Amino acid sequence: MNNAAAEAREPMVRAVGVHKSYGHVPVLNGLTLDVAGGEVLCLLGPSGSGKSTFLRCINHLEAPDSGYISVAGELIGYREQGEFLVEASERQIARKRAEIGMVFQQFNLFSNKTVLANLTEAPVRVRREPRAEVEERARANLRRVGLADLADRYPGQLSGGQQQRVAIARALTMRPKVMLFDEPTSALDPELVGEVLDVMRDLAADGMTMVVVTHEIGFAREVATRVAFLHHGQIAEIGSPASVIEHPSHERIRAFLTTVR
């Protein structure tokens, strides 16, 4: 089988037996999951169920205690040495992390840099890409999120919804293979939530692979390819939005959904 065919069949994200504890508190308990290229997977579950920790393990902001995660067929945070996995170098980890876009609850923008500078900083300084090329791509991504006219503003001059859209555009400017969203609307006033979800809908329609931690059940029902419900660091149920949200088989899911609908 040629490399292109192998890559086409390889899940974009693969997690196998991932465990993670903080001290004596287990957070992920052998989580195993595949996410196909172009899929939108929404992760639901109560606080403490492991959703955000799992996202942070995907880009190795947190290192799993055991198990492994790969993105586009390449291990994240580790490399194979014979029959064993050994920790990758910081440079190798940074190279792979650059291919994984991450949008947090808080916007994490550089307050002393313009919107455009926020988008160009990493590609120019980390990847050493030509500034003119990066700026062109950054402006295209600002157009994509509806902020083309705000390139010269500073984050403090923007609404929360605008800042989160800048954060999405910044991640896109790195040309990621997958986008991770950790409750991206939870810090926003209710009237600003829609503008961020609209951008995410457009990304999904364009075929971007996305893993989304969210309590926005309407978004999950409308946009997700699959929905996974996490409970005690494991997948209690996974399937189509219709099956998991409308007809859950797990009593814990039914109880959770009554609190967030």
Side-chain angles (χ1 to χ4, degrees):
M1 182 166 55
N2 62 37
N3 290 340
E7 187 171 325
R9 296 187 180 185
E10 185 78 33
M12 182 59 73
V13 179
R14 167 163 282 174
V16 178
V18 176
H19 288 261
K20 179 67 180 180
S21 297
Y22 296 110
H24 297 293
V25 180
V27 180
L28 297 176
N29 291 295
L31 193 149
T32 295
L33 176 68
D34 282 353
V35 182
E39 182 173 13
V40 179
L41 176 71
C42 283
L43 301 179
L44 306 180
S47 294
S49 60
K51 307 182 303 296
S52 295
T53 297
F54 177 55
L55 281 197
R56 293 174 66 85
C57 285
I58 293 176
N59 65 3
H60 212 70
L61 288 175
E62 298 285 353
D65 297 328
S66 62
Y68 68 87
I69 295 174
S70 65
V71 172
E74 295 188 23
L75 290 169
I76 302 297
Y78 301 94
R79 57 184 175 83
E80 292 180 280
Q81 185 168 298
E83 298 179 359
F84 301 97
L85 297 182
V86 297
E87 193 163 351
S89 69
E90 285 299 321
R91 177 176 292 183
Q92 291 170 324
I93 292 171
R95 178 179 63 82
K96 290 303 301 177
R97 188 179 288 143
E99 298 177 349
I100 304 168
M102 181 87 174
V103 178
F104 300 89
Q105 297 177 30
Q106 302 298 328
F107 320 123
N108 294 339
L109 300 176
F110 297 114
S111 61
N112 63 333
K113 295 183 183 295
T114 66
V115 165
L116 184 62
N118 267 276
L119 269 63
T120 59
E121 178 79 5
V124 171
R125 293 190 178 274
V126 176
R127 286 186 166 173
R128 308 296 189 198
E129 295 185 56
R131 181 173 296 277
E133 177 184 312
V134 173
E135 286 194 1
E136 182 179 353
R137 190 164 76 240
R139 291 184 186 277
N141 283 320
L142 287 174
R143 289 194 296 273
R144 190 174 186 180
V145 302
L147 297 174
D149 57 339
L150 300 183
D152 296 325
R153 299 276 185 92
Y154 287 84
Q157 298 173 302
L158 307 180
S159 70
Q162 289 171 331
Q163 290 187 63
Q164 193 62 294
R165 283 188 282 159
V166 170
I168 294 172
R170 177 178 61 181
L172 291 173
T173 302
M174 291 293 284
R175 294 186 288 199
K177 293 179 177 178
V178 59
M179 287 282 288
L180 311 177
F181 293 86
D182 189 6
E183 296 194 42
T185 61
S186 65
L188 300 179
D189 292 333
E191 65 270 20
L192 301 177
V193 168
E195 64 189 58
V196 173
L197 294 182
D198 284 345
V199 170
M200 294 171 65
R201 287 186 183 94
D202 289 343
L203 291 178
D206 288 344
M208 173 63 73
T209 307
M210 298 162 59
V211 182
V212 184
V213 171
T214 184
H215 287 158
E216 298 289 342
I217 301 301
F219 174 84
R221 183 187 291 113
E222 174 191 350
V223 179
T225 311
R226 288 186 300 160
V227 172
F229 185 87
L230 268 62
H231 185 52
H232 294 321
Q234 297 178 321
I235 295 175
E237 189 165 344
I238 187 168
S240 69
S243 65
V244 176
I245 296 174
E246 304 302 336
H247 306 288
S249 60
H250 197 286
E251 177 56 39
R252 184 66 187 86
I253 304 174
R254 289 193 287 270
F256 172 79
L257 290 172
T258 61
T259 69
V260 296
R261 286 187 189 274

